[in-house]
Amino acid sequence: MRTIEALRRSGVGIGPERTIRDAAVVMEQSGVGALAIVDGERLVGVVTDRDLVRRALAQGLPADGRVDGVMSAPVVTIDADADLHDAFALFRANAVRRLAVVRGEQFVGMITIDDLLMDLAGDLSDLSRPVTAEVVFGHHDSRVPGA
Amino acid sequence: MQASVGDRIIVHGHSGDEPNRDCEVLQVRGPDGRPPYVVRWGDSGHETFFFPGSDATIEHFEHSAN
């Protein structure tokens, strides 16, 4: 079984003192939907595009408010050396679409449901190839000797 | 993954139409050149923490002693 390390994406983070506007701009320009909020070396929260909509925009918070006021904490994390089944279990147990990947206490990146789906789709494609070949090109079973 | 100040990190697009992005390492916060890094993004100039994953590669540059 592959580990999370093989699939995890690079993580982008900002400090808790940065503004809600900064978070939105960094997300937009980084092409990510979630940012790690890092205080020194410590992961203190995660802010998602959904957090910005629900906790900032919808509540009328000013764009220059601190981002740690709208982040999610504590963060659902998974160890980089865990296997993918552990990620499935965490996604099942928690209503989240992303997990923060850590090694020890150090944040190292993100993994999303989309990443797992794309990986599964690749596996299914590999599995279906011999079946498809059999359907298209007929059976290639070994002959019984002397038959 | 290890980097030095001034190195360039390239984050490869996750799909065919997603472009690569790059950033310059401004600070190395981890021990022995390891992440996290403070980086400046080439396309926006924004500075963020960056934690490279399997989608990122580093271009090392020679650093003068001066």
Side-chain angles (χ1 to χ4, degrees):
Chain A
M1 190 69 186
R2 283 189 299 278
T3 64
I4 298 299
E5 176 64 24
L7 277 189
R8 73 176 171 85
R9 293 180 179 220
S10 298
V12 180
I14 59 175
E17 76 288 351
R18 298 282 290 272
T19 66
I20 291 168
R21 178 184 294 110
D22 285 344
V25 169
V26 168
M27 272 185 208
E28 201 279 323
Q29 295 182 334
S30 304
V32 299
L35 298 176
I37 306 301
V38 182
D39 190 2
E41 312 305 316
R42 199 166 55 93
L43 176 70
V44 295
V46 166
V47 65
T48 67
D49 43 11
R50 185 169 167 76
D51 291 332
L52 296 184
V53 171
R54 292 182 61 226
R55 297 176 180 164
L57 271 175
Q59 304 300 323
L61 291 186
D64 58 358
R66 284 175 59 116
V67 71
D68 58 356
V70 297
M71 70 184 185
S72 297
V75 182
V76 182
T77 63
I78 187 166
D79 195 272
D81 295 324
D83 76 33
L84 296 183
H85 284 137
D86 297 326
F88 296 148
L90 280 171
F91 280 123
R92 268 198 302 271
N94 300 274
V96 294
R97 292 182 59 86
R98 302 173 179 85
L99 298 173
V101 183
V102 296
R103 179 166 282 117
E105 293 188 351
Q106 174 79 55
F107 172 75
V108 295
M110 291 278 188
I111 189 160
T112 69
I113 287 182
D114 296 8
D115 297 329
L116 295 186
L117 284 174
M118 286 167 58
D119 186 64
L120 276 175
D123 285 349
L124 288 175
S125 172
D126 290 344
L127 276 175
S128 68
R129 196 166 295 133
V131 176
T132 305
E134 215 167 73
V135 169
V136 173
F137 301 113
H139 292 274
H140 299 285
D141 294 339
S142 299
R143 292 183 182 279
V144 176
Chain B
M1 183 171 276
Q2 291 179 304
S4 303
V5 171
D7 283 349
R8 179 169 173 252
I9 300 178
I10 299 167
V11 185
H12 301 277
H14 299 110
S15 59
D17 56 351
E18 187 179 350
N20 293 349
R21 302 183 65 243
D22 69 279
C23 56
E24 178 189 354
V25 177
L26 301 179
Q27 293 177 36
V28 177
R29 294 291 188 91
D32 304 322
R34 291 199 289 269
Y37 308 124
V38 176
V39 302
R40 181 187 297 121
W41 292 94
D43 49 4
S44 67
H46 273 81
E47 294 179 15
T48 70
F49 291 101
F50 185 67
F51 308 81
S54 55
D55 51 356
T57 53
I58 293 185
E59 287 186 358
H60 297 284
F61 292 99
E62 292 298 325
H63 301 283
S64 79
N66 296 326

